[in-house]
């Protein structure tokens, strides 16, 4: 059967998608991006915030129209939205044939076969059910980089977050499984591994009795073919000196850390259920920059959390202004039913949320522009992402840039380069968040 597969949401969801694609391909199914050719559609959904839910619902409705017109024989909905709103989806969108919960992605082949056989059997399990891992993946990221999901679920229970209810408690993937998967990815041409989980920093605590991310990183660094390893979603309170030392001393690990802090007001951090305060944030950030002076720090913030007053916002603004993160994103608070924060008093009006978000992003834009200007004259290794159509130029990324979230590097050259090539580039200019550079035959910092 020819299947249209649509993956929404985060990179962790994308790993689930790639496993489902692999299972379907091994069963003889093929894939298409053309709606007119598709015989079946699978939508892997997200429900983390309101915008994600809206995108997921609209996508399902679009596929439902194809189902009604007779183009599609099967419509399968998977992922977080499916887990969270299974009854509503079945009631409101009867064109959906089957639903796969977050821990039932290994039933995707059975779901297609059941629908084609005239049956319907939803596959919904408890979010804390046994993890699905070790499946062959069909990598969709171009082949030169791939995400490695090292754990599932979360134990933090932040008051704004629905993830534990749809993904369950924190559970690590065994280290030998991850090493094998990473080796297979490397054999397939992957040069950059991007480690993801709801929280990567507590990896292994459930399996090995202690935080084992440094040990996992050292194992992955030994895999031939892997040249970059990037860390995302590191909670600040869990960043140990051992982890810092591992990042510092292992040459394959990018000096890049995604560290979501969400706020800087101690009062708001407590209401969020976060397990850190501003003094501790300052200490960890200072420690990271002291030990790894060229580290690139990325963070995310929430504007307009319930009860956030102007003083809280100004405290956060001043914190960002002083700390000068290399990369920063701001989400407006999304009032998600089923979370503790949704029931809190003093919900902030949407207009004020957006005003505060805009102020923070305007400040960050100034910081980012200044940092980009300060990169002029530096020589850095970069990974080629592709050629600019019609020009003697290529798009690349430095260690400071995670794919699809950070900036790009544009290299002007008449030389022929291939996607995934590593080249040395001298930075000659900048344009907003992006950099401009030229090739260097010899690397000198």
């Amino acid at each position: 059967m020819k299947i249209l597969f649509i993956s929404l949401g985060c990179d962790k969801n994308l790993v689930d998608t790639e496993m489902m694609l692999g299972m379907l391909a091994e069963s003889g199914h093929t894939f298409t991006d053309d709606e007119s050719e598709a015989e079946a559609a699978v939508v892997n959904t997200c429900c983390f915030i309101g915008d994600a839910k809206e995108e997921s619902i609209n996508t399902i409705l679009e596929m439902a129209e194809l189902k009604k017109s007779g183009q599609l024989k099967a419509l399968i909905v998977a992922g977080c939205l499916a887990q969270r709103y299974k009854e509503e989806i079945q009631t409101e969108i009867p064109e959906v044939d089957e639903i796969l919960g977050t821990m039932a992605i290994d039933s995707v082949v059975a779901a297609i076969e059941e629908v084609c056989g005239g049956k319907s059997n939803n596959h919904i399990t408890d979010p804390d059910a046994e993890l699905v891992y070790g499946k062959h993946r069909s990598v969709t990221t171009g082949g030169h980089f791939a995400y490695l999901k090292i754990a599932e679920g979360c134990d933090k229970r932040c008051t704004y977050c629905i993830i534990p209810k749809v993904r369950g408690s924190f559970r690590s993937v065994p280290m030998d499984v991850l090493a094998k998967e990473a080796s297979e990815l490397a054999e397939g041409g992957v040069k950059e591994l991007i480690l993801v989980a709801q929280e990567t920093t507590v990896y292994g605590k459930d399996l090995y009795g202690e935080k084992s991310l440094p040990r996992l990183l050292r194992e992955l660094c030994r895999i031939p073919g892997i040249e970059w390893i990037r860390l995302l979603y590191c909670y600040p309170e869990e960043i140990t000196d051992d982890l810092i030392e591992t990042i510092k001393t292992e040459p394959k690990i990018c000096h890049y850390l995604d560290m979501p802090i969400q706020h800087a007001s101690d009062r708001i951090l407590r209401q969020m259920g976060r397990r850190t305060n501003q003094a501790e944030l300052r200490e960890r950030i200072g420690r990271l920059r002291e030990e790894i002076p060229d580290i690139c720090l990325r963070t995310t913030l929430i504007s307009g959390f319930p009860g956030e007053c102007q003083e809280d916002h100004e405290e956060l603004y001043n914190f960002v202004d002083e700390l000068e993160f290399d990369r920063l994103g701001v989400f407006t608070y999304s009032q998600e039913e089923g979370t503790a924060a949704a029931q809190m008093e003093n919900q902030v009006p949407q207009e004020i949320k957006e005003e505060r978000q805009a102020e923070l992003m305007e400040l960050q834009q100034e910081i980012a522009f200044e940092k980009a200007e300060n990169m002029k004259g530096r020589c850095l290794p970069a990974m080629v992402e592709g050629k600019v159509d019609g020009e003697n130029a290529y798009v690349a990324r430095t260690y400071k840039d995670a794919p699809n979230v950070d900036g790009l590097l544009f290299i002007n050259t008449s030389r022929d380069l291939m996607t995934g090539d590593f080249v040395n580039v001298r930075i000659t200019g900048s344009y907003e968040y992006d950099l401009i550079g030229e090739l260097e035959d010899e690397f000198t910092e």
Side-chain angles (χ1 to χ4, degrees):
M1 180 171 284
K2 190 169 287 189
I3 300 171
L4 173 64
F5 207 115
I6 302 172
S7 187
L8 305 173
C10 66
D11 39 44
K12 298 174 287 293
N13 217 36
L14 181 63
V15 173
D16 290 350
T17 288
E18 292 178 345
M19 283 196 285
M20 286 190 277
L21 288 169
M23 288 182 273
L24 289 166
E26 287 178 342
S27 297
H29 298 283
T30 58
F31 306 100
T32 181
D33 291 328
D34 189 340
E35 294 178 356
S36 65
E37 294 181 354
E39 300 171 277
V42 181
V43 183
N44 195 15
T45 60
C46 177
C47 70
F48 184 55
I49 59 175
D51 289 346
K53 285 192 291 187
E54 183 177 354
E55 181 185 26
S56 293
I57 292 167
N58 288 339
T59 302
I60 297 169
L61 290 173
E62 289 175 15
M63 295 302 103
E65 287 298 314
L66 294 179
K67 180 81 184 305
K68 284 195 288 188
S69 70
Q71 284 185 242
L72 295 179
K73 298 176 184 176
L75 174 55
I76 311 296
V77 176
C80 293
L81 189 85
Q83 181 79 34
R84 187 178 178 189
Y85 296 110
K86 48 188 177 293
E87 292 87 0
E88 292 86 344
I89 292 172
Q90 287 188 309
T91 301
E92 301 296 330
I93 315 176
E95 292 80 14
V96 174
D97 293 297
E98 289 201 21
I99 294 174
L100 301 182
T102 52
M103 299 300 120
I105 59 174
D106 54 343
S107 298
V108 65
V109 175
I112 292 286
E113 293 174 352
E114 287 163 358
V115 174
C116 293
K119 300 177 183 178
S120 182
N121 178 33
N122 287 337
H123 299 266
I124 302 291
T125 62
D126 187 282
D128 283 314
E130 185 176 348
L131 294 184
V132 179
Y133 55 70
K135 305 292 183 181
H136 172 71
R137 289 166 54 187
S138 294
V139 176
T140 62
T141 50
H144 55 297
F145 75 89
Y147 298 98
L148 185 69
K149 185 160 72 168
I150 66 174
E152 184 63 90
C154 187
D155 291 336
K156 295 295 189 188
R157 304 300 196 271
C158 298
T159 60
Y160 52 82
C161 185
I162 197 65
I163 291 300
K165 293 190 176 182
V166 295
R167 290 280 176 178
S169 301
F170 186 87
R171 289 151 293 159
S172 303
V173 178
M175 200 174 298
D176 60 334
V177 174
L178 292 172
K180 182 175 182 293
E181 182 177 351
S183 295
E184 291 172 351
L185 289 169
E187 290 168 4
V190 168
K191 298 180 180 179
E192 178 183 8
L193 285 179
I194 305 174
L195 272 56
V196 296
Q198 299 302 327
E199 180 183 1
T200 56
T201 27
V202 291
Y203 170 79
K205 196 170 182 180
D206 54 321
L207 294 180
Y208 309 115
E210 62 181 2
K211 290 187 281 190
S212 304
L213 181 58
R215 183 156 63 96
L216 172 64
L217 287 169
R218 290 190 287 268
E219 286 288 326
L220 297 176
C221 285
R222 287 199 280 266
I223 296 174
I226 298 299
E227 299 191 41
W228 275 0
I229 298 175
R230 188 180 301 275
L231 280 171
L232 303 188
Y233 315 123
C234 296
Y235 278 48
E237 68 272 20
E238 306 291 356
I239 297 173
T240 63
D241 288 346
D242 186 17
L243 177 59
I244 294 173
E245 184 66 17
T246 304
I247 297 170
K248 177 181 177 180
T249 57
E250 288 286 355
K252 289 186 178 182
I253 302 177
C254 294
H255 288 179
Y256 175 104
L257 204 63
D258 177 279
M259 184 178 65
I261 64 171
Q262 310 306 0
H263 217 281
S265 160
D266 288 351
R267 190 176 72 86
I268 297 300
L269 287 168
R270 284 193 300 271
Q271 290 186 193
M272 288 179 166
R274 302 290 289 183
R275 303 186 184 189
T276 190
N277 57 42
Q278 186 178 136
E280 291 166 343
L281 292 175
R282 289 177 178 274
E283 188 280 328
R284 279 295 86 180
I285 293 168
R287 179 73 171 166
L288 283 160
R289 286 175 167 167
E290 178 185 2
E291 292 296 321
I292 313 171
D294 65 341
I295 194 164
C296 178
L297 294 179
R298 177 178 180 83
T299 196
T300 50
L301 307 172
I302 296 174
S303 68
F305 188 81
E308 183 191 64
C309 62
Q310 183 62 24
E311 288 77 12
D312 296 314
H313 170 64
E314 290 175 3
E315 186 173 2
L316 176 58
Y317 184 96
N318 292 334
F319 181 84
V320 171
D321 192 21
E322 180 183 347
L323 272 293
E324 294 190 338
F325 291 93
D326 299 88
R327 309 282 186 259
L328 182 145
V330 186
F331 296 92
T332 58
Y333 167 72
S334 181
Q335 189 176 3
E336 294 302 311
E337 63 268 28
T339 64
Q343 306 302 317
M344 290 180 179
E345 296 179 354
N346 300 319
Q347 297 285 329
V348 177
Q350 185 65 28
E351 181 181 356
I352 294 178
K353 295 180 194 176
E354 293 175 359
E355 287 176 358
R356 292 174 179 172
Q357 177 196 40
E359 287 180 11
L360 290 165
M361 288 308 300
E362 184 177 354
L363 170 62
Q364 180 59 27
Q365 189 174 50
E366 295 173 4
I367 294 169
F369 288 177
E370 182 179 348
K371 285 181 175 288
E373 282 293 301
N374 291 339
M375 289 292 292
K376 287 182 181 179
R378 286 193 63 183
C379 186
L380 297 172
M383 176 186 280
V384 176
E385 290 285 345
K387 193 174 189 301
V388 179
D389 287 341
E391 297 184 29
N392 289 328
Y394 290 82
V395 178
R397 290 185 293 112
T398 73
Y399 78 92
K400 290 174 171 280
D401 306 306
N404 304 318
V405 292
D406 295 324
L408 295 169
L409 167 64
F410 292 89
I411 306 169
N412 297 310
T413 180
S414 58
R415 284 169 50 183
D416 290 331
L417 302 176
M418 299 292 292
T419 298
D421 282 352
F422 278 89
V423 292
N424 294 322
V425 181
R426 183 169 297 280
I427 309 303
T428 58
S430 65
Y431 177 74
E432 295 186 349
Y433 295 102
D434 299 326
L435 299 173
I436 301 168
E438 57 187 26
L439 292 184
E440 289 278 307
D441 289 329
E442 296 295 333
F443 175 74
T444 54
E445 179 60 70

